[in-house]
Coordinates of all heavy atoms in Angstrom, one line a residue:
I88 N 81.3 101.7 100.0 CA 80.4 102.7 100.7 C 81.2 104.1 100.7 O 82.3 104.1 101.1 CB 80.1 102.2 102.1 CG1 79.4 100.9 102.0 CG2 79.3 103.2 102.9 CD1 79.2 100.2 103.4
E89 N 80.5 105.1 100.3 CA 81.1 106.4 100.2 C 80.9 107.2 101.5 O 81.7 108.0 101.8 CB 80.5 107.2 99.0 CG 80.9 106.6 97.7 CD 80.4 107.3 96.5 OE1 80.0 108.5 96.7 OE2 80.5 106.8 95.4
K90 N 79.8 107.1 102.2 CA 79.5 107.9 103.4 C 79.8 107.0 104.7 O 79.8 105.8 104.7 CB 78.1 108.3 103.4 CG 77.8 109.3 102.3 CD 76.3 109.8 102.4 CE 76.1 110.8 101.3 NZ 74.7 111.3 101.4
G91 N 80.1 107.8 105.7 CA 80.3 107.1 107.0 C 81.8 106.9 107.3 O 82.6 107.0 106.4
K92 N 82.1 106.7 108.5 CA 83.5 106.4 109.0 C 83.8 105.0 108.8 O 83.0 104.1 109.1 CB 83.6 106.8 110.5 CG 84.8 106.4 111.2 CD 86.0 107.3 110.8 CE 87.1 106.8 111.8 NZ 88.4 107.3 111.5
K93 N 85.0 104.7 108.3 CA 85.4 103.3 108.1 C 86.6 103.0 109.1 O 87.5 103.8 109.3 CB 85.9 103.1 106.7 CG 84.8 103.4 105.7 CD 85.3 103.3 104.3 CE 84.3 103.8 103.3 NZ 84.8 103.8 101.9
L94 N 86.5 101.8 109.7 CA 87.6 101.4 110.6 C 88.0 100.0 110.1 O 87.2 99.1 110.1 CB 87.0 101.3 112.0 CG 88.0 100.8 113.1 CD1 89.2 101.7 113.2 CD2 87.3 100.6 114.4
Y95 N 89.3 99.9 109.8 CA 89.8 98.6 109.4 C 90.5 98.0 110.6 O 91.5 98.6 111.1 CB 90.8 98.8 108.2 CG 90.1 99.3 107.0 CD1 90.1 100.7 106.7 CD2 89.4 98.5 106.1 CE1 89.5 101.2 105.6 CE2 88.7 99.0 105.0 CZ 88.8 100.4 104.8 OH 88.1 100.9 103.7
I96 N 90.1 96.9 111.1 CA 90.6 96.3 112.3 C 91.4 95.0 111.9 O 91.2 94.4 110.9 CB 89.5 95.9 113.3 CG1 88.4 95.0 112.7 CG2 88.8 97.2 113.8 CD1 87.3 94.6 113.6
T97 N 92.3 94.7 112.9 CA 93.1 93.5 112.7 C 92.3 92.2 112.9 O 91.4 92.2 113.7 CB 94.2 93.5 113.8 OG1 94.9 94.8 113.7 CG2 95.2 92.4 113.6
N98 N 92.6 91.2 112.2 CA 91.8 89.9 112.3 C 92.4 89.1 113.4 O 93.0 88.0 113.3 CB 91.9 89.2 110.9 CG 91.0 88.0 110.9 OD1 90.2 87.8 111.8 ND2 91.0 87.3 109.8
S99 N 92.2 89.6 114.6 CA 92.6 89.0 115.9 C 91.5 89.3 116.9 O 91.1 90.5 117.1 CB 93.9 89.5 116.3 OG 94.2 89.2 117.7
F100 N 91.0 88.3 117.6 CA 89.9 88.5 118.5 C 90.2 89.6 119.6 O 89.5 90.5 119.7 CB 89.5 87.2 119.2 CG 88.3 87.3 120.1 CD1 87.0 87.5 119.5 CD2 88.4 87.3 121.4 CE1 85.9 87.6 120.3 CE2 87.3 87.5 122.2 CZ 86.0 87.6 121.7
T101 N 91.4 89.5 120.2 CA 91.7 90.4 121.3 C 92.1 91.8 120.7 O 91.7 92.8 121.3 CB 92.8 89.9 122.2 OG1 93.9 89.5 121.4 CG2 92.3 88.7 123.0
T102 N 92.9 91.8 119.7 CA 93.3 93.1 119.1 C 92.2 93.8 118.5 O 92.1 95.1 118.7 CB 94.4 92.8 118.0 OG1 95.4 92.1 118.6 CG2 95.0 94.1 117.5
S103 N 91.3 93.2 117.8 CA 90.1 93.8 117.2 C 89.2 94.5 118.2 O 88.7 95.6 118.0 CB 89.4 92.9 116.2 OG 88.8 91.8 116.9
I104 N 89.0 93.8 119.3 CA 88.2 94.4 120.4 C 88.8 95.7 120.9 O 88.1 96.7 121.1 CB 88.0 93.4 121.5 CG1 87.1 92.2 121.1 CG2 87.4 94.0 122.8 CD1 87.0 91.1 122.1
T105 N 90.1 95.7 121.1 CA 90.8 96.8 121.6 C 90.7 98.0 120.6 O 90.5 99.1 121.0 CB 92.3 96.5 121.9 OG1 92.3 95.4 122.9 CG2 93.0 97.7 122.5
E106 N 90.9 97.7 119.3 CA 90.9 98.7 118.3 C 89.5 99.3 118.2 O 89.3 100.6 118.1 CB 91.2 98.1 116.9 CG 92.7 97.7 116.8 CD 93.0 97.0 115.6 OE1 92.1 96.4 114.9 OE2 94.2 96.9 115.3
L107 N 88.4 98.5 118.3 CA 87.1 99.0 118.3 C 86.7 99.8 119.5 O 86.2 100.9 119.4 CB 86.1 97.9 118.1 CG 84.6 98.2 118.0 CD1 84.4 99.2 116.8 CD2 83.8 97.0 117.8
E108 N 87.1 99.3 120.7 CA 86.9 100.1 121.9 C 87.6 101.4 121.9 O 87.0 102.4 122.3 CB 87.4 99.3 123.1 CG 86.5 98.1 123.5 CD 87.0 97.3 124.6 OE1 88.3 97.3 124.9 OE2 86.2 96.5 125.2
N109 N 88.8 101.5 121.4 CA 89.5 102.8 121.3 C 88.8 103.8 120.4 O 88.7 105.0 120.7 CB 90.9 102.6 120.9 CG 91.8 101.9 121.9 OD1 91.5 101.9 123.1 ND2 92.9 101.3 121.5
E110 N 88.3 103.3 119.3 CA 87.5 104.2 118.4 C 86.2 104.7 119.0 O 85.9 105.8 118.9 CB 87.2 103.4 117.1 CG 86.4 104.2 116.1 CD 87.1 105.4 115.5 OE1 88.3 105.4 115.4 OE2 86.4 106.3 115.1
L111 N 85.5 103.8 119.7 CA 84.3 104.2 120.3 C 84.5 105.1 121.5 O 83.6 105.9 121.8 CB 83.5 102.9 120.8 CG 83.0 102.0 119.6 CD1 82.4 100.7 120.2 CD2 82.1 102.7 118.7
K112 N 85.6 105.1 122.2 CA 85.9 106.0 123.3 C 86.1 107.4 122.8 O 85.7 108.4 123.4 CB 87.2 105.6 124.0 CG 87.0 104.4 124.9 CD 88.3 104.0 125.6 CE 88.2 102.7 126.3 NZ 89.6 102.3 126.9
C113 N 86.7 107.5 121.6 CA 87.0 108.8 121.0 C 85.9 109.5 120.2 O 85.8 110.7 120.0 CB 88.2 108.7 120.1 SG 89.7 108.2 121.0

């Protein structure tokens, strides 16, 4: 996919939630 923001998250339930939440806060 060429357009849009890409976020690569860790394959861990708790870590991936934190990474996504941090991105959505900003």
